[in-house]
Amino acid sequence: MATTLVQGGRADVEESGTLVNLPVERGSTVLFPSIEAMNRQDGRSHAHKAVYGAMGNPTQHELEQFIAVLEGGSHTQIVNSGLSACTTPLLAFLGQGDHLLLPDSVYGPTRRFAETMLRRLGVQTSYYPPMASREVVEGFLQSNTRIVFAESPGSHTFEVQDVPMLADVAHQAGALCFLDNTWGFGIFQPFEHGVDVSIQALSKYPSGHADVIMGSITVNDAAHWKILRDASIQLGQCASPDDCWLVLRGLRTIGVRMAHQSQNAYALAAWLKTRSEVERVLHPAFEDCPGHDFWKRDFQGANGLFGVQLKADISVQAAETMLDGLRHFGIGASWGGYESLVLPTTGHIRRSAEAGPTAATFRVHVGLESLEDLKIDLSRGLDSLAYHAAE
């Protein structure tokens, strides 16, 4: 993978003067030598070739082919955000009267989309427990179930799902298995585990510098690609060539960035487990994280994102005051950049089958700062929490 990240998606050196990085190609109008050639097309719109700017640009097409290689699929569609990467294939593969099965731990905006737009379009949605057994998941299936959706690990709560089982359940029912694979980019190969559609928020580690909003959808079947590509054209999905170029550049260093951030995140998470103010650390590499055995079986590592639950006697207000006082952690959504972040999650975890946690919780993303600086910062904050709890 490391060699592919450096050498893939680059121009072959055919003569002296070839640049290491591909140039940015901008444009809206594509010229053809004749009307006959323009009308013929020869499937160019499905072959990552220039047809019209709104159907993609050459820089976008290079990124699409590179992402497909990294995800282990045949074709990728670049879209304008990670949320679009969730919603576009749902619109492509669902219709009026269909049933969608989502995990209860799904990304909040995906849930909101299902309960608003998909509902208006006549699509029914049910939610299954993210750690449900095969028998329980099968009990949620309906005759009109078209998609079994997975998100592994789960948003904010980090349950690692049994994706091969979910894919098999879906296929046995004549449905497709979708996976939001954003956390698993480069460390979980979706199509080796039965997934039909893999979703990525490229704003995270692939970009790596907190300056791009972009998503990708990858498939590994020609029929699925035609459905996805047609829907993407009809929805006007495309991306800025400049942003595509930034993601191409970010991918060159994702291997070393993720390795370093993953190592420091694990060390910080292990240290947090020793703190008396902390009830639980939700990191897939820990044995007490739900689905740890699936992580060990299916993943080739981790990244810098995990969750923290504080002791019940620490109020949400005290926790937020602590987060406000941190010096080396920014407060903000998203993750995968070079900077460390915290995000309060209490009250933002919605569940259909059961209530979300009421204790103070927050999400941590470990960036490229000194691990010791991050520990000192959090230690100072947690010390203040212990003082308030003692009062």
Side-chain angles (χ1 to χ4, degrees):
M1 178 67 82
T3 301
T4 301
L5 286 168
V6 173
Q7 298 182 358
R10 275 170 44 186
D12 294 330
V13 180
E14 297 178 353
E15 58 183 51
S16 176
T18 300
L19 295 171
V20 171
N21 289 317
L22 294 166
V24 179
E25 295 188 63
R26 305 179 186 88
S28 57
T29 299
V30 176
L31 297 177
F32 295 88
S34 67
I35 294 173
E36 188 273 335
M38 182 178 69
N39 290 337
R40 188 174 63 244
Q41 294 299 314
D42 295 329
R44 290 176 66 91
S45 62
H46 291 78
H48 307 280
K49 301 290 185 182
V51 176
Y52 176 63
M55 295 185 188
N57 53 77
T59 312
Q60 174 181 325
H61 296 150
E62 289 292 342
L63 177 59
E64 287 173 334
Q65 293 173 84
F66 196 20
I67 294 292
V69 169
L70 297 175
E71 286 267 79
S74 60
H75 292 281
T76 293
Q77 172 70 46
I78 297 296
V79 293
N80 56 23
S81 70
L83 179 56
S84 289
C86 296
T87 61
T88 298
L90 290 175
L91 288 171
F93 288 91
L94 289 170
Q96 184 176 14
D98 287 344
H99 175 242
L100 165 66
L101 193 53
L102 289 177
D104 217 5
S105 54
V106 73
Y107 177 52
T110 304
R111 178 188 291 264
R112 183 176 63 233
F113 179 78
E115 294 179 357
T116 55
M117 187 169 291
L118 288 184
R119 181 178 293 169
R120 291 198 301 271
L121 295 175
V123 175
Q124 179 190 359
T125 302
S126 300
Y127 299 91
Y128 66 95
M131 300 309 300
S133 65
R134 171 185 286 269
E135 292 72 25
V136 171
V137 176
E138 288 174 341
F140 280 90
L141 295 173
Q142 301 178 12
S143 61
N144 58 341
T145 301
R146 299 291 173 261
I147 295 170
V148 176
F149 198 103
E151 181 175 328
S152 184
S155 190
H156 293 324
T157 44
F158 295 93
E159 302 94 338
V160 181
Q161 296 192 268
D162 188 350
V163 173
M165 177 272 287
L166 293 169
D168 188 57
V169 167
H171 297 157
Q172 290 293 324
L176 299 177
C177 179
F178 283 23
L179 171 67
D180 186 334
N181 193 36
T182 299
W183 195 93
F185 188 87
I187 54 177
F188 181 89
Q189 289 299 306
F191 302 104
E192 293 179 6
H193 296 91
V195 171
D196 298 296
V197 177
S198 181
I199 291 158
Q200 289 287 345
L202 299 180
S203 314
K204 314 307 189 204
Y205 286 105
S207 163
H209 293 78
D211 53 7
V212 170
I213 297 293
M214 188 180 294
S216 68
I217 310 152
T218 303
V219 296
N220 199 32
D221 179 274
H224 296 162
W225 170 241
K226 185 175 189 314
I227 294 169
L228 173 65
R229 180 61 178 150
D230 286 346
S232 300
I233 292 171
Q234 291 154 16
L235 291 167
Q237 284 288 2
C238 62
S240 156
D242 297 83
D243 285 351
C244 289
W245 187 89
L246 286 171
V247 175
L248 280 167
R249 185 175 67 170
L251 285 168
R252 305 306 179 189
T253 61
I254 188 176
V256 291
R257 285 187 287 106
M258 272 187 66
H260 182 78
Q261 289 173 261
S262 171
Q263 180 180 359
N264 279 359
Y266 183 84
L268 189 67
W271 172 78
L272 282 166
K273 282 174 75 75
T274 70
R275 294 289 306 207
S276 61
E277 307 85 0
V278 173
E279 179 68 30
R280 254 182 116 189
V281 177
L282 298 167
H283 189 301
F286 293 158
E287 289 185 2
D288 59 349
C289 186
H292 165 76
D293 288 342
F294 301 138
W295 173 82
K296 212 158 102 177
R297 183 191 69 190
D298 298 337
F299 284 74
Q300 285 77 55
N303 61 35
L305 189 75
F306 61 90
V308 177
Q309 180 180 328
L310 298 175
K311 294 285 189 182
D313 60 351
I314 297 173
S315 71
V316 173
Q317 182 179 0
E320 291 181 352
T321 299
M322 182 271 285
L323 296 179
D324 280 340
L326 296 176
R327 299 176 184 175
H328 296 304
F329 290 84
I331 300 172
S334 199
W335 46 273
Y338 57 85
E339 74 291 352
S340 290
L341 297 169
V342 289
L343 182 72
T345 54
T346 312
H348 298 281
I349 300 172
R350 286 187 58 198
R351 293 290 184 268
S352 296
E354 57 188 23
T358 56
T361 59
F362 60 94
R363 190 178 72 185
V364 177
H365 176 255
V366 176
L368 295 172
E369 299 89 348
S370 157
L371 176 59
E372 288 310 308
D373 285 343
L374 298 179
K375 280 186 180 179
I376 291 169
D377 199 17
L378 278 171
S379 183
R380 186 186 301 113
L382 292 170
D383 286 344
S384 72
L385 283 180
Y387 174 78
H388 288 303
E391 290 181 331

